[in-house]
Amino acid sequence: MASFTPTPVDSIASTVTRLDAAFGTLKSHPLSFRLEQLGRLYWGLRDNEQALYDALAADIGKPVFETFMTEFAWPLSDIVNVMENLKTWAADEPITDVPWTTKLVNRPVMRKDPMGTILIIGASNFPVQLTISPLVGAIAGGNAAVVKPSELTPRSSALIAKIVEDVLDSEFYAVVNGGVDVTTKLLELKFDKIVYTGSTYVGKIVATAAAKHLTPCILELGGLNPVFVTKSADVKTAAKRIAWGKVHNAGQICLGPDYVLIHPSLEREFVESFKNALKIYLPNGAQASPDYGKIVNDRNFNRIKKLLDNSSGTVLCGGSVDESTRFIEPTLVKVTNSSDSLLSEEIFGPVIPMMVVGKVDEMVLLAKRLGDTPLAMYIFSADKLEQEKILKSVRSGGVSINDVILHASNSYIPFGGVGESGHGKYRGRDTFDSFVHRRPILSQPLWVEGQLSIRYPPYTPKKLAAYKRFVAHPAVKFGRDGKHLPQSLWLWAFLLGSSNKKGGVFRYLLVVLAGVLWARKFLPGAKA
């Protein structure tokens, strides 16, 4: 197993300078270089599959199945998808929604240019996926990249460093390992984009540091993710799927279900179904199960335990903890007060509070009060009107209906937050688009110089009149009150159903042309 070696802080600036210089050579621009690096990364992961299982088991007790699903198969799928589509995504796109004169004369296109050197700061809950997937985007975009894995998962971070150093071009890609001092030093330096996945608190620190250099960021943060279980929901299925969301990765998922708002008529059946689901998932109990992980470190263990200890709610199932192994049992708690400790912050663990709420409107108001821009929102309802009401009323980064984590479980679909849960997206095509600068390019032919003379000083009334004719505004279809002006029936008929005079003239010409063609074909002597 690779050993974790912190990077000397005084070497970081020279590493970034080296990558910046390499990017300036333009060597990373050709698609052939990018595809080669992506292919090498693919095989670097494939060749270290067992090492991934071992590292993640040692770091956070992650089961092999979960590691394969989220940390191995996922980034491999990302790489293959990007490689298959890169030529199409990277091609210049004609800009078509412009006047026909601009399209004909200036031939506008949108080019996708590499941005420069990217900083990727990974997370501890999915140490490989949330580090490698942004790296895939950085490579696909033709950039250089510095990767900073989480220090909370040292064996996984060491393995990432080994893979990157073994298979990728060291001129363009480097891994920097270490703690807060290393991250602090990195954030002092100028990058062309920063990707950070983690807490909202640290996200604000990253954004503040980036602002000093006007560096754009992708921030994948968190928040209190609500679960709505309305009166029309299939309560057994809802309980089964919500329980899985708390067992998976021991609840350490930034978009995991954080609290349940449930209709009173479903409470009893939900609780029983939740308990039954846990018995099926963990038949010998969570602590003895090889399919259940542990909390990543002592600090997070103590934070979750404190939230549970300070709650005034009633524990309906679970509740046991073991500090020596950082074990917290999947726990369902009924709370009656929105100020309960379990509703004060993102839990990021296997504890979920449940609150009984009678009306959808009350659920919405409560969810907005607890946090109006969560990373995820989950709606269990069979009523389309209920679904739509909640969707319109509560903002979130993404939504799954009648499931949890679904919208973020597909590597082809963009994923990101809104407001305090972050901004920017990657995955799917956004894995490429988020790591390039879309640069519009227009070409002005020399032969139009005569027509351009009106833009040059000295400005005269004649030039102004000519320019006004050139940019004449089309007739509008709304009044000064902003409301639509209905077209009179006789004008509509006179213009052959067109909404303007130009369209009417064009339609008359088509009618005349059709008449001539008909006459030439069917009337005797018309061809003469």
Side-chain angles (χ1 to χ4, degrees):
M1 191 177 296
S3 59
F4 181 83
T5 305
T7 302
V9 174
D10 57 8
S11 71
I12 294 174
S14 61
T15 297
V16 176
T17 300
R18 173 171 57 82
L19 267 61
D20 286 341
F23 177 77
T25 66
L26 307 183
K27 180 182 173 183
S28 65
H29 283 225
L31 295 187
S32 58
F33 175 86
R34 307 182 204 182
L35 290 167
E36 178 184 326
Q37 297 302 307
L38 290 170
R40 291 171 65 87
L41 181 59
Y42 174 90
W43 286 108
L45 292 169
R46 284 283 301 270
D47 293 341
N48 284 277
E49 180 176 355
Q50 185 59 50
L52 280 174
Y53 299 149
D54 296 340
L56 285 156
D59 281 333
I60 50 177
K62 187 169 286 195
V64 169
F65 184 91
E66 289 186 7
T67 297
F68 176 83
M69 179 170 59
T70 61
E71 306 275 27
F72 183 68
W74 187 294
L76 292 180
S77 175
D78 272 351
I79 294 172
V80 172
N81 181 43
V82 169
M83 292 183 72
E84 288 178 346
N85 291 284
L86 184 57
K87 185 176 180 180
T88 299
W89 293 346
D92 290 352
E93 289 181 15
I95 301 175
T96 56
D97 51 344
V98 295
W100 69 270
T101 52
T102 302
K103 192 184 303 183
L104 180 66
V105 176
N106 303 122
R107 302 188 304 279
V109 297
M110 191 69 76
R111 179 169 293 182
K112 294 74 171 279
D113 287 339
M115 301 187 75
T117 302
I118 312 296
L119 171 61
I120 299 167
I121 304 174
S124 61
N125 56 334
F126 295 98
V128 179
Q129 179 203 139
L130 296 179
T131 303
I132 296 298
S133 290
L135 177 59
V136 170
I139 296 171
N143 305 285
V146 175
V147 175
K148 164 60 176 71
S150 174
E151 70 276 14
L152 302 181
T153 50
R155 297 165 186 83
S156 303
S157 298
L159 182 59
I160 290 170
K162 178 182 182 299
I163 292 172
V164 170
E165 290 165 4
D166 284 352
V167 304
L168 296 184
D169 190 325
S170 60
E171 288 185 69
F172 292 88
Y173 313 106
V175 175
V176 174
N177 266 321
V180 175
D181 57 335
V182 168
T183 305
T184 301
K185 181 61 182 179
L186 284 166
L187 291 175
E188 291 175 0
L189 304 174
K190 183 181 184 302
F191 290 90
D192 297 287
K193 192 157 196 173
I194 297 175
V195 183
Y196 168 74
T197 304
S199 69
T200 299
Y201 173 78
V202 177
K204 292 177 180 179
I205 296 173
V206 172
T208 300
K212 295 176 182 177
H213 301 291
L214 297 179
T215 300
C217 296
I218 295 177
L219 300 176
E220 300 288 4
L221 309 178
L224 274 165
N225 304 315
V227 184
F228 298 84
V229 184
T230 72
K231 186 177 181 180
S232 66
D234 180 333
V235 66
K236 290 183 179 179
T237 302
K240 179 181 179 181
R241 294 176 180 179
I242 294 167
W244 170 78
K246 277 301 173 185
V247 170
H248 185 70
N249 207 39
Q252 298 169 104
I253 309 175
C254 56
L255 47 79
D258 274 306
Y259 63 97
V260 176
L261 303 175
I262 187 167
H263 191 272
S265 66
L266 303 181
E267 177 188 1
R268 183 175 179 179
E269 190 173 6
F270 176 84
V271 174
E272 291 305 312
S273 298
F274 190 92
K275 292 177 181 179
N276 290 336
L278 292 180
K279 289 178 183 177
I280 294 171
Y281 299 155
L282 310 167
N284 297 316
Q287 195 161 14
S289 175
D291 298 325
Y292 185 71
K294 61 184 179 181
I295 305 304
V296 67
N297 64 1
D298 291 339
R299 180 174 61 82
N300 280 295
F301 171 87
N302 290 327
R303 180 187 60 80
I304 299 168
K305 183 177 182 298
K306 184 178 179 181
L307 291 175
L308 187 57
D309 290 342
N310 291 341
S311 173
S312 60
T314 303
V315 175
L316 301 177
C317 72
S320 65
V321 300
D322 184 347
E323 187 173 358
S324 65
T325 58
R326 301 198 301 273
F327 164 79
I328 297 179
E329 187 179 12
T331 303
L332 177 65
V333 182
K334 180 179 180 179
V335 300
T336 57
N337 194 322
S338 62
S339 62
D340 192 273
S341 62
L342 290 175
L343 296 173
S344 64
E345 63 179 71
E346 179 184 6
I347 295 174
F348 206 69
V351 179
I352 185 164
M354 177 191 73
M355 196 168 185
V356 177
V357 183
K359 297 180 180 178
V360 171
D361 287 342
E362 294 173 357
M363 293 181 180
V364 165
L365 289 174
L366 182 55
K368 293 174 72 173
R369 186 162 67 246
L370 292 173
D372 68 342
T373 55
L375 184 60
M377 178 170 70
Y378 304 114
I379 304 170
F380 287 87
S381 171
D383 187 323
K384 295 292 185 182
L385 293 178
E386 286 181 340
Q387 295 173 12
E388 194 61 29
K389 183 177 186 62
I390 297 170
L391 286 171
K392 288 181 177 179
S393 302
V394 184
R395 295 180 292 173
S396 68
V399 179
S400 294
I401 297 176
N402 291 321
D403 205 350
V404 297
I405 313 177
L406 176 67
H407 67 279
S409 65
N410 190 315
S411 63
Y412 297 91
I413 296 175
F415 169 72
V418 61
E420 290 203 352
S421 60
H423 53 254
K425 290 180 173 63
Y426 62 90
R427 296 183 185 171
R429 176 158 184 167
D430 283 51
T431 299
F432 173 79
D433 287 344
S434 292
F435 293 94
V436 293
H437 168 55
R438 293 172 60 85
R439 181 161 63 157
I441 299 175
L442 283 77
S443 177
Q444 190 74 284
L446 297 176
W447 56 263
V448 301
E449 186 62 22
Q451 288 75 18
L452 295 177
S453 62
I454 62 172
R455 75 180 184 181
Y456 301 133
Y459 301 126
T460 65
K462 183 178 180 180
K463 286 184 177 180
L464 180 58
Y467 188 73
K468 285 184 175 180
R469 289 194 300 271
F470 178 71
V471 297
H473 295 293
V476 297
K477 303 172 186 176
F478 50 87
R480 284 181 171 79
D481 59 359
K483 295 181 179 179
H484 180 73
L485 294 175
Q487 188 180 29
S488 65
L489 183 61
W490 72 267
L491 183 60
W492 180 84
F494 181 74
L495 296 177
L496 300 181
S498 175
S499 60
N500 56 65
K501 294 178 182 178
K502 288 183 179 179
V505 170
F506 180 70
R507 294 185 183 194
Y508 274 110
L509 291 174
L510 289 178
V511 170
V512 172
L513 178 61
V516 170
L517 293 175
W518 182 85
R520 287 172 60 87
K521 184 173 182 179
F522 295 105
L523 296 182
K527 294 183 180 181

